[in-house]
Amino acid sequence: MVVKLENNFLKYGIVRNHYTNLCRVFLFTLLHTLSVSSQLPPDIQKLVSSYPAFIQGYEDNQIIFKDGTTLMYDDGKSKTIAERLKSPDIKDLFAYTYPKGKLETVPAKNEDPGRIRNEKFLQKMYGKTTAEVQKNLTVITWCPKLLGQKLSVTTANNVHLLLQQVSAELDDHPEWKKYLQSAGAFNWRLIRGTKQLSTHSFGIAIDLNTAYSDYWQWDCRCTDENARLTYTNRIPQGIVDIFEKYGFIWGGKWYHYDTMHFEYRPELL
């Protein structure tokens, strides 16, 4: 391949020295980029690789976006569990490790990997208002063979394409049809009992059939984060595996379980 490129350069009158210099510049730039990336903290690397269309890099405790704006990564504050949920920095997103695949044990008390979300970070990518989010929405057909539902999801970060791939794989499993009926995707709203936006507000989440789902607030008939809960789930593992394959985490892996809920959070996978 290199020889072919060199012959093409020479054919069109570009001298060998110039070609060699171009190669050196390219290799230097590539090696420098790889070197800088390898020096980033592991969680920053996850963000950069997960959201390449938006994140430029990281420097001086700031996530640098491609539009030149920045967001603080670590606010340096020691937080309680409640404070982390209410006012997290971006570092707090990684407070708990998301267990990909089948759960070996039920989630420990307050173990909610992915339930911590930085609203400003999500707004940078998906929109700050319902009008901004809606500019990026498109309609997909969810499980066209089994259900044919129309759902509105975001095109940012290619979420719509990834969810269509999830749909295509699930559509080959008629035995799961009763679970797959969707309770909705985009919906600009607050999380019940909070002043925080649901990830449905950004068009990156989908809920499955509520008739076969379990939700901690329904079971305790409360919104008390300190309530003692008994983990419950009826969603087949195969459904979860397919969602996770394409970057969607599952609310069934939270102590505060929400088994109908899936959201696009590839940095945790």
Side-chain angles (χ1 to χ4, degrees):
M1 178 179 171
V2 172
V3 172
K4 187 180 291 185
L5 282 171
E6 181 175 354
N7 289 337
N8 285 336
F9 276 120
L10 294 174
K11 178 180 179 181
Y12 290 101
I14 300 176
V15 297
R16 184 185 300 271
N17 285 343
H18 182 59
Y19 164 74
T20 303
N21 287 336
L22 284 174
C23 287
R24 286 173 177 167
V25 169
F26 170 77
L27 288 172
F28 175 80
T29 303
L30 176 62
L31 291 172
H32 177 70
T33 301
L34 292 173
S35 175
V36 170
S37 177
S38 66
Q39 294 171 12
L40 295 175
D43 290 341
I44 299 294
Q45 290 184 42
K46 294 173 187 175
L47 291 171
V48 173
S49 62
S50 295
Y51 304 108
F54 288 93
I55 299 179
Q56 181 72 41
Y58 170 80
E59 188 174 356
D60 296 331
N61 196 33
Q62 299 289 322
I63 301 292
I64 304 169
F65 291 88
K66 290 194 172 181
D67 64 1
T69 60
T70 61
L71 279 178
M72 181 185 295
Y73 174 67
D74 181 4
D75 61 17
K77 297 177 182 178
S78 178
K79 304 183 185 80
T80 63
I81 293 172
E83 289 169 340
R84 186 178 281 151
L85 272 173
K86 186 176 180 180
S87 303
D89 56 22
I90 297 176
K91 182 180 179 181
D92 289 328
L93 305 183
F94 301 98
Y96 305 108
T97 300
Y98 183 88
K100 187 176 181 180
K102 186 177 180 179
L103 281 174
E104 297 301 325
T105 60
V106 300
K109 186 173 175 59
N110 293 320
E111 191 86 3
D112 295 328
R115 194 164 171 252
I116 297 170
R117 311 171 183 99
N118 184 285
E119 202 166 284
K120 289 183 178 179
F121 180 69
L122 293 173
Q123 288 174 335
K124 280 296 301 178
M125 297 187 289
Y126 303 110
K128 294 180 181 179
T129 65
T130 183
E132 287 185 7
V133 173
Q134 286 176 330
K135 287 179 182 178
N136 295 321
L137 293 181
T138 192
V139 175
I140 69 166
T141 301
W142 176 247
C143 294
K145 292 186 293 186
L146 295 176
L147 299 167
Q149 281 185 278
K150 302 297 184 182
L151 299 177
S152 293
V153 295
T154 187
T155 59
N157 289 315
N158 288 322
V159 172
H160 65 307
L161 299 179
L162 293 163
L163 197 56
Q164 283 177 313
Q165 291 183 74
V166 173
S167 169
E169 290 203 26
L170 293 175
D171 217 17
D172 289 331
H173 292 275
E175 72 276 18
W176 294 337
K177 180 179 178 179
K178 67 179 183 180
Y179 303 102
L180 299 177
Q181 182 78 32
S182 175
F186 168 72
N187 182 10
W188 185 271
R189 64 175 176 82
L190 299 178
I191 299 170
R192 184 184 175 199
T194 77
K195 295 182 179 180
Q196 296 166 297
L197 286 171
S198 162
T199 47
H200 286 280
S201 301
F202 302 106
I204 63 171
I206 179 175
D207 285 343
L208 299 187
N209 194 343
T210 57
Y212 299 95
S213 301
D214 299 280
Y215 181 43
W216 71 277
Q217 291 188 10
W218 296 343
D219 292 346
C220 75
R221 295 181 174 82
C222 69
T223 58
D224 181 7
E225 291 283 333
N226 296 311
R228 193 163 197 85
L229 306 174
T230 300
Y231 180 82
T232 309
N233 170 55
R234 288 172 284 167
I235 301 296
Q237 180 62 39
I239 294 176
V240 177
D241 291 339
I242 291 172
F243 270 101
E244 289 182 345
K245 178 180 176 181
Y246 294 100
F248 293 83
I249 65 168
W250 178 46
K253 292 188 174 175
W254 304 336
Y255 175 76
H256 295 89
Y257 53 90
D258 185 357
T259 68
M260 75 191 89
H261 182 81
F262 293 86
E263 65 183 74
Y264 185 67
R265 297 286 298 285
E267 72 276 17
L268 300 179
L269 289 163

